[in-house]
Amino acid sequence: MSDAPTKPHSRKGLYAPFIIVLLALAAWTGWWFYLTHQIDRQIETQAAAMRQAGWDVRFSEKTISGWPFRARVGLRDVTIGAPSHHAVSALELAAEANAYQPTKWVIVAPQGLVLTRAGKGEVAVAGDAIRMSASGIDQRWPNLALEMVNPVFTVAPQGEPFPIARAARIEFYTRPHLAASTTPGDDVDVMFRLVDGQGRADGPVEGFAQDGMLTLQLEATIGQASLLKGGDAAGVFSAWTRGGGTFRNLRGDIQAGASRATLSSDVLRADADGRLIGQVALQSQKPLPALSGLLESRGGVANRIGAAGAAAAAGATQAAGKDDMALTLVFRDGRAWLGPFSLAPAPKLF
């Protein structure tokens, strides 16, 4: 007696994983195209809004790529100019984010930048790396980080001198300032680092560092940071100053050749002319070499008489066997004062 014929097994189960993968890939591809369309639209919307506010925003070419896992935006011949006539331009900018985390971006300028200083000319910036990262861009205050590795600064012909010729690193960071309630307010924490900066020839930085390297780190809280958005012809700090903006809890450390100092200030602000107002406490070590170098610089910014007086006072203290000195740097009347000695113009914010 023969066996009954058996029913062949269905092969539908073999295709199921492939069908699922294809459906997932189709869904992800749809998300990627939707995301990049939104990014493209946001770039155009933001550029139009800035132009309406008086900014100069231009680029000659825009490409979006990176499928499947990244969103990459490439811009060429980019110029972003503020109403104050300060501007930054680049032959190429590339911005990239993970498609599954579009709130965190990294932006690089592979061919360097050109900074335009209002009334002072252009400065070309080249280096091993010039990049910026931004995370939490959907929040009120995102985290920003700017990093330059081995930057070199070259002033264009007819431009005014730039204080720094090169450095090992320049870094700038911002983050929301969290109060005791851990709720972000209207303040932003900032930090600036200059590592092994070399001043231009015969300039005040070169003299201050005694032909050595200048390393500087500053941290502060910017109050009422929302007033820094936008900007009129006087610059973003103009509206911020009029609104009562201040720098709070300034802390820092500076190394200039053989001289070193830690510094602190509770509050600094700007006057109606944009010059810094307030005082900074300095705990200095061997200040004489820095002050003497400032006196010998030929950049035209330092007040040689004031620097000579400050150097003489520091020399008298050092002759008494004391290398450490407690000093107070005061910004008032548009000048920077060390005791009764006027050293240089106060820093100008706008």
Side-chain angles (χ1 to χ4, degrees):
M1 185 175 180
S2 62
D3 296 334
T6 59
K7 185 178 181 180
H9 294 288
S10 173
R11 296 186 178 181
K12 293 181 178 179
L14 297 176
Y15 302 125
F18 297 99
I19 294 173
I20 292 173
V21 170
L22 289 175
L23 290 175
L25 181 61
W28 181 260
T29 300
W31 157 251
W32 185 89
F33 278 104
Y34 170 79
L35 173 65
T36 53
H37 175 73
Q38 292 298 109
I39 292 171
D40 185 26
R41 182 178 177 182
Q42 183 62 32
I43 291 173
E44 296 296 339
T45 300
Q46 185 64 35
M50 293 176 69
R51 294 186 189 111
Q52 186 68 26
W55 289 65
D56 177 21
V57 180
R58 289 174 284 140
F59 47 86
S60 65
E61 181 182 342
K62 177 178 57 181
T63 59
I64 299 180
S65 58
W67 182 89
F69 297 119
R70 295 185 180 277
R72 186 181 187 278
V73 179
L75 300 176
R76 295 195 63 84
D77 303 319
V78 184
T79 296
I80 302 175
S84 60
H85 302 295
H86 291 80
V88 59
S89 58
L91 291 176
E92 179 184 359
L93 284 181
E96 188 173 287
N98 291 321
Y100 51 85
Q101 193 181 15
T103 59
K104 183 176 181 179
W105 286 82
V106 176
I107 305 169
V108 298
Q111 300 186 57
L113 300 171
V114 175
L115 307 178
T116 299
R117 302 166 294 163
K120 296 182 178 180
E122 296 181 346
V123 179
V125 187
D128 293 344
I130 301 176
R131 52 181 172 252
M132 175 179 169
S133 65
S135 60
I137 61 175
D138 56 338
Q139 302 173 3
R140 182 182 186 185
W141 301 119
N143 294 305
L144 303 177
L146 172 66
E147 181 183 29
M148 298 182 180
V149 180
N150 293 321
V152 177
F153 301 88
T154 304
V155 178
Q158 310 304 320
E160 290 191 15
F162 196 70
I164 299 295
R166 63 182 67 243
R169 298 182 75 89
I170 294 179
E171 301 171 1
F172 180 73
Y173 304 93
T174 73
R175 67 179 183 184
H177 177 73
L178 298 179
S181 63
T182 71
T183 301
D186 198 24
D187 299 345
V188 173
D189 293 333
V190 296
M191 184 176 77
F192 172 79
R193 293 184 68 220
L194 169 68
V195 179
D196 289 343
Q198 179 181 335
R200 61 179 172 83
D202 297 328
V205 173
E206 183 186 70
F208 187 68
Q210 312 111 60
D211 295 335
M213 299 296 180
L214 175 66
T215 295
L216 171 68
Q217 177 170 314
L218 295 174
E219 301 178 42
T221 297
I222 298 179
Q224 297 182 266
S226 60
L227 296 176
L228 293 172
K229 292 184 177 180
D232 54 20
V236 295
F237 282 105
S238 176
W240 175 77
T241 297
R242 292 194 303 268
T246 58
F247 296 104
R248 304 195 315 271
N249 301 322
L250 174 70
R251 300 292 182 270
D253 183 271
I254 182 170
Q255 177 83 44
S259 304
R260 182 172 182 175
T262 57
L263 54 91
S264 62
S265 177
D266 292 333
V267 179
L268 292 173
R269 59 185 181 87
D271 62 18
D273 295 326
R275 297 287 182 181
L276 212 58
I277 299 175
Q279 63 182 37
V280 178
L282 302 170
Q283 188 62 44
S284 60
Q285 301 174 6
K286 298 182 178 179
L288 179 58
L291 293 171
S292 299
L294 187 64
L295 171 64
E296 295 171 2
S297 68
R298 296 185 291 274
V301 176
N303 179 6
R304 297 175 65 85
I305 297 176
T317 301
Q318 187 167 318
K322 297 180 180 179
D323 285 336
D324 296 352
M325 294 180 63
L327 305 170
T328 301
L329 183 64
V330 179
F331 301 112
R332 60 177 171 83
D333 303 326
R335 306 290 299 178
W337 301 79
L338 192 60
F341 307 108
S342 173
L343 297 182
K348 188 175 178 61
L349 299 185
F350 59 89

